[in-house]
Amino acid sequence: MLNMFSKIVVPYDNSELSKKALDTAITLAKQDNSIKLDVITVVNSNYTAYHYGVYAIDPIRKTQLEEANKMLKDVEQELSELPNQTNTHLIEGSPSASIIDFINETQADLVVMGSRGLSGLKEVFLGSVSHYVVQKSPCPVFIVK
Ligand SMILES: Nc1ncnc2c1ncn2[C@@H]1O[C@H](COP(=O)(O)OP(=O)(O)OP(=O)(O)O)[C@@H](O)[C@H]1O
Ligand SMILES: [Mg+2]
């Protein structure tokens, strides 16, 4: 069954469930070293400041990007144990739309993500990002809970 899935995408926000999703994807990738693994994190940064050139040294955006980069370094550390081809990506934009664009552009064939993310609310089963991705993804979505 695993050779049905040769390109796996893990949307990662550093939440416990996204860590669990990453571990699941790593376990899947270990079954076959031709499986490619892409981990993406989307930073919803301040676009207004971003567009205004030299005045754009927006401290919040800078901190967000630095934190995301640090987080992806840790992910890369974890991925380095795999013989598979792996990549991490830092994208700026709306998380839901950027994840779907990435899946379409890279023609991924499986997404592995958490049911919930960083927001603490537990009343609903899916967060807004996982809900959107399940609805719009052209490929199967493996929801880790
Ligand atoms: N900014 C992001 N970049 C990459 N992946 C993300 C991002 N935000 C969420 N995800 C992925 O989506 C999963 C579900 O998170 P989601 O954001 O939907 O839930 P939530 O944070 O609990 O709720 P909400 O954000 O709607 O308040 C996460 O486990 C992670 O896999
Ligand atoms: Mg969230």
Side-chain angles (χ1 to χ4, degrees):
M1 185 189 106
L2 283 169
N3 55 17
M4 277 174 68
F5 303 120
S6 58
K7 223 169 192 190
I8 301 177
V9 173
V10 180
Y12 189 83
D13 64 356
N14 220 23
S15 62
E16 283 312 308
L17 284 175
S18 73
K19 287 178 186 166
K20 205 170 158 187
L22 178 62
D23 289 343
T24 302
I26 287 175
T27 304
L28 293 176
K30 279 181 179 164
Q31 313 298 308
D32 186 337
N33 60 21
S34 70
I35 296 172
K36 294 183 184 129
L37 194 56
D38 283 302
V39 178
I40 76 167
T41 192
V42 186
V43 173
N44 205 353
S45 54
N46 187 334
Y47 276 97
T48 318
Y50 181 64
H51 285 299
Y52 287 98
V54 338
Y55 299 104
I57 306 158
D58 172 2
I60 296 171
R61 172 173 175 253
K62 191 166 172 269
T63 309
Q64 283 177 314
L65 292 175
E66 278 168 5
E67 276 173 8
N69 267 314
K70 211 158 74 191
M71 176 178 100
L72 288 180
K73 283 275 163 295
D74 293 340
V75 170
E76 279 163 22
Q77 183 73 32
E78 214 179 323
L79 294 174
S80 66
E81 65 172 286
L82 290 171
N84 307 59
Q85 189 181 316
T86 63
N87 279 297
T88 60
H89 309 263
L90 175 54
I91 297 169
E92 281 189 270
S94 130
S96 301
S98 304
I99 291 167
I100 289 299
D101 287 348
F102 186 89
I103 295 166
N104 285 322
E105 278 159 23
T106 60
Q107 295 182 319
D109 44 32
L110 179 68
V111 181
V112 183
M113 69 192 300
S115 58
R116 300 303 311 249
L118 288 173
S119 112
L121 297 171
K122 294 274 179 284
E123 284 84 38
V124 276
F125 174 57
L126 292 175
S128 60
V129 177
S130 45
H131 183 252
Y132 185 89
V133 172
V134 166
Q135 272 191 325
K136 302 273 182 182
S137 172
C139 69
V141 181
F142 186 140
I143 295 286
V144 172
K145 60 176 200 167

